[in-house]
Amino acid sequence: METIPVDKPQTRSQPLPATDWGQLIARLGLVLVLGWIGLFKFTPTEASAIVPLLQHSPLISWLLPVFGVQGTSNLIGTIEVITAVLLLAGTWRPRLLLYGGILASLTFLATLSFLFSTPGMFTRHDGFWVADGFLLKDLTLLGVSISALRQGWMARNDEPARIHTR
């Protein structure tokens, strides 16, 4: 099958401009966190550590009886690693950034839901209610994910259209 590029008027596929170093560093940090934690999900240590979070989740608790503890952890890890690769590749292909931004946003919405579905995520210290900091940081990562999604959405039409022929 041959691919013939069809240029849209006055558009070219270019890497996303890195004019905002803050956004670039935030996205690379997101890639690092998702990739690293995603790979760690393939270990028995991480698989057993996430069981309490998964057991109480109305969104994904059904995965445990279907895939088992390690299988569920592997599935989540695979999604996180794929998301990291899409976000990184999105630097050069905006459509991939869009897909990575969607997956990352869904990932962090799911993990933030653990704050409300898992018992003991809020504790009282010296008169203040304190949320579990390990999960609370996902609010920042959700913001970076939504920013990546928006960048991918805005730049998606900059890629040249392609016609596939046989």
Side-chain angles (χ1 to χ4, degrees), residues 17 27 37 53 62 77 128 141 149 160:
R27 186 177 326 144
I37 292 174
L53 301 172
W62 62 272
F128 290 96
L141 296 173
L149 188 159

Side-chain angles (χ1 to χ4, degrees), residues 37-97:
I37 292 174
L39 289 173
F40 194 48
K41 292 282 191 303
F42 290 92
T43 68
T45 302
E46 179 66 2
S48 62
I50 63 173
V51 169
L53 301 172
L54 300 177
Q55 284 177 329
H56 295 96
S57 171
L59 301 174
I60 56 178
S61 60
W62 62 272
L63 291 171
L64 287 171
V66 174
F67 298 108
V69 172
Q70 191 61 58
T72 299
S73 190
N74 291 352
L75 176 63
I76 294 168
T78 300
I79 292 168
E80 290 173 345
V81 169
I82 289 170
T83 302
V85 169
L86 288 170
L87 290 166
L88 185 61
T91 303
W92 299 279
R93 297 301 254 175
R95 191 161 292 140
L96 297 179
L97 181 61

